[in-house]
Amino acid sequence: MHAIRGDIDTPTRSAIHDLVVEFTWKLDHAEPAGFAELFETDGRFVTGQAVTAGTAALQAFANGRTAMARTSRSVLSNHRLVRLSTSSIEGTVLVTLYMHDGLEAGEPIAQSVAEYRDIYVRGADHVWRFRERRSVPIFTRSV
């Protein structure tokens, strides 16, 4: 049985919130530097059937994603945290993704609504990182 949601202190919530926002910022603003550092060295990002795992692959993913001539913005909401242990927390985040081709302002097309299902872990350096971030589609739009 999961612990109650309220047993996570404010500094921990804040650190995890910052981690989640930084992930989104880097991809939406074409700033891939340090993306892989948001994950444990053997961390995983799962989208559909694709699994991107390990520091080199995660950084290559971010480099490729941000090199695209495409503008995106992600709206995050309903962040829920549940403690699994003293150094592990499970989280869910609802994300609405808007995209359009090109780098100038354009029509905001809602591309998808998905839920990130995350496992956050605190390392020996006391920094919270993703162990796993799994994108689970709820609503999608064909391209």
Side-chain angles (χ1 to χ4, degrees):
M1 176 168 206
H2 290 299
I4 61 170
R5 186 175 183 277
D7 73 342
I8 300 170
D9 60 70
T10 300
T12 298
R13 284 182 187 282
S14 181
I16 291 173
H17 172 268
D18 291 351
L19 172 67
V20 167
V21 169
E22 192 65 15
F23 174 99
T24 302
W25 180 270
K26 286 182 176 298
L27 295 182
D28 280 352
H29 292 84
E31 295 182 10
F35 179 83
E37 296 168 18
L38 303 175
F39 290 80
E40 290 190 302
T41 57
D42 61 347
R44 301 164 20 116
F45 181 41
V46 181
T47 56
Q49 299 300 316
V51 177
T52 305
T55 302
L58 287 162
Q59 193 59 54
F61 162 79
N63 293 344
R65 168 65 175 75
T66 59
M68 300 169 94
R70 176 175 282 171
T71 299
S72 69
R73 290 298 183 267
S74 304
V75 179
L76 306 175
S77 62
N78 302 347
H79 195 187
R80 180 176 187 269
L81 301 176
V82 177
R83 183 172 296 284
L84 301 175
S85 72
T86 57
S87 61
S88 181
I89 292 175
E90 177 183 75
T92 57
V93 181
L94 187 67
V95 58
T96 304
L97 177 62
Y98 294 91
M99 289 185 136
H100 76 85
D101 289 332
L103 301 176
E104 302 297 321
E107 181 183 355
I109 299 169
Q111 192 66 32
S112 68
V113 175
E115 185 174 86
Y116 283 134
R117 296 183 184 161
D118 300 331
I119 301 294
Y120 317 105
V121 293
R122 186 176 57 213
D125 60 358
H126 302 287
V127 173
W128 287 93
R129 294 183 179 87
F130 293 103
R131 172 173 289 152
E132 180 176 284
R133 170 156 263 204
R134 181 177 298 270
S135 179
V136 179
I138 299 170
F139 306 110
T140 60
R141 181 181 193 283
S142 58
V143 185

